[in-house]
Amino acid sequence: MMRTSVDEIALAAFLHDIGKFVQRAHGSRKHLSDEARKFEDEILPLRHGRYTHVHAIWTEEFLTWMEREGLSFPGGLNRSTVRNLSVFHHRPDNAVKEVGGAAWIVAQADRLAAGLDRKGKDNRDTVDGPGDADSGPEKEPRTWDSFIRTSMTNPFSAVFLDKQLGEVPQTKLPLAVLGPERENFPQKAVDVAGFQARYAAMWTAFQAEIRRICNLQDKHLFFDALIEVSERFLSAVPSSTKDQPDVSLHDHSLAAAAIATVLAQWHAEAGTLETEAHIEDLQTPKFRVLIGDLSGIQSTLFRLANERVKGVNRILRARSFLFGMLAESAAIEA
């Protein structure tokens, strides 16, 4: 029997790396609260006498902040359970007593998601790896705060269209909240000197959004709102600054939550949720990937563009929304 719900496991997996955002907003561990600091020995792995994966204690800081603010998750989701599942994703053995084998589900989901989206840098002597020879302010040696001053590589730079078109220009994403403003546009070079202050400002605004959505009573509305807030704030925040920084923290978190949900349901049905060896078994098929196609989407979207029909922009937006909802509905039903 599961000690935790699938929703709690999914939420914990989605929030497991939120500490990376919080850490970059605060910088040094000296800014940790006393409440969070006392769990360092339990949460953080040790290597050569030093803590590693320090972002995990900042995830604890985030959930400690929620507790201080009196914020709870809606729909009966247990904040303490979510906390134990998420903050121990690098030391899951220390959470098994409280949440059972689900602790290993979140840990494994993080590893699988990271394996899917992370690629090593070709040049680890610079902040952002290959392509930085002409990137101006970012061509500098790694320092203690390089994890803060690393911008996200524009993922579209990896798109290959045609030999005749040549390579897509290598660009960076400015650190900003996602929106229609011009500051969100990819740039050849990004000045990272002010990233600490930008992270701090974004964190303050993010806190206000979390306060707002925690007032929602329906957990499904809360999940949708949380994904929307994450997308706006974390789409230009690199998930990893040690590897090639071309996957956002939002996308990594969403992938980890999806994998954790599937694993939780699969192992619950198989009766192996309490067995670490079964959860870490990557030979047994546990996933099924479905691919769908909406043929003729371009002609359907734009057929009125040249027909002088009034309200074309509204019609295009409505059709675009319809196609998006069709895809999402199909995924939910599947």
Side-chain angles (χ1 to χ4, degrees), residues 14-225:
F14 189 73
L15 293 175
H16 77 286
D17 270 354
I18 193 65
K20 292 183 177 181
F21 180 34
V22 187
Q23 181 185 19
R24 294 171 200 174
H26 290 82
S28 170
R29 285 210 328 273
K30 68 182 181 182
H31 299 299
L32 277 169
S33 67
D34 291 337
E35 299 101 306
R37 188 183 300 277
K38 66 184 180 181
F39 293 108
E40 284 183 321
D41 289 339
E42 296 178 45
I43 292 173
L44 301 181
L46 273 174
R47 185 180 182 186
H48 304 310
R50 298 182 63 183
Y51 290 128
T52 65
H53 303 85
V54 176
H55 64 273
I57 197 64
W58 289 98
T59 297
E60 170 72 21
E61 183 70 56
F62 170 75
L63 292 160
T64 297
W65 168 78
M66 285 192 64
E67 185 175 0
R68 286 198 305 264
E69 294 281 320
L71 300 175
S72 299
F73 300 121
L77 299 171
N78 189 297
R79 187 182 59 210
S80 178
T81 298
V82 172
R83 177 258 180 190
N84 287 320
L85 288 167
S86 60
V87 304
F88 288 104
H89 64 279
H90 290 296
R91 296 283 303 275
D93 50 321
N94 285 348
V96 169
K97 182 178 179 181
E98 299 295 332
V99 295
W104 290 98
I105 291 285
V106 176
Q108 187 70 338
D110 174 43
R111 296 168 190 171
L112 290 172
L116 289 171
D117 62 31
R118 290 182 192 166
K119 177 178 122 175
K121 293 181 182 178
D122 297 329
N123 180 0
R124 291 179 177 269
D125 293 327
T126 57
V127 172
D128 277 295
D132 282 346
D134 299 318
S135 64
E138 291 193 285
K139 182 69 168 73
E140 56 188 56
R142 290 193 67 87
T143 58
W144 78 268
D145 61 345
S146 291
F147 71 96
I148 299 174
R149 296 182 299 103
T150 297
S151 63
M152 185 171 154
T153 300
N154 179 13
F156 292 107
S157 296
V159 175
F160 178 79
L161 297 175
D162 190 282
K163 288 184 179 180
Q164 294 180 346
L165 295 176
E167 293 185 2
V168 177
Q170 297 296 305
T171 54
K172 307 285 186 178
L173 296 183
L175 182 62
V177 178
L178 187 64
E181 296 80 8
R182 192 160 188 82
E183 68 172 354
N184 292 113
F185 286 19
Q187 301 172 10
K188 184 177 180 181
V190 174
D191 186 358
V192 299
F195 267 28
Q196 173 87 65
R198 276 181 174 257
Y199 269 119
M202 289 170 62
W203 165 239
T204 299
F206 183 84
Q207 287 175 297
E209 291 294 322
I210 295 298
R211 291 188 190 97
R212 178 180 63 83
I213 67 174
C214 281
N215 289 321
L216 296 170
Q217 300 301 311
D218 184 272
K219 66 180 178 182
H220 299 294
L221 289 177
F222 171 77
F223 288 153
D224 287 342

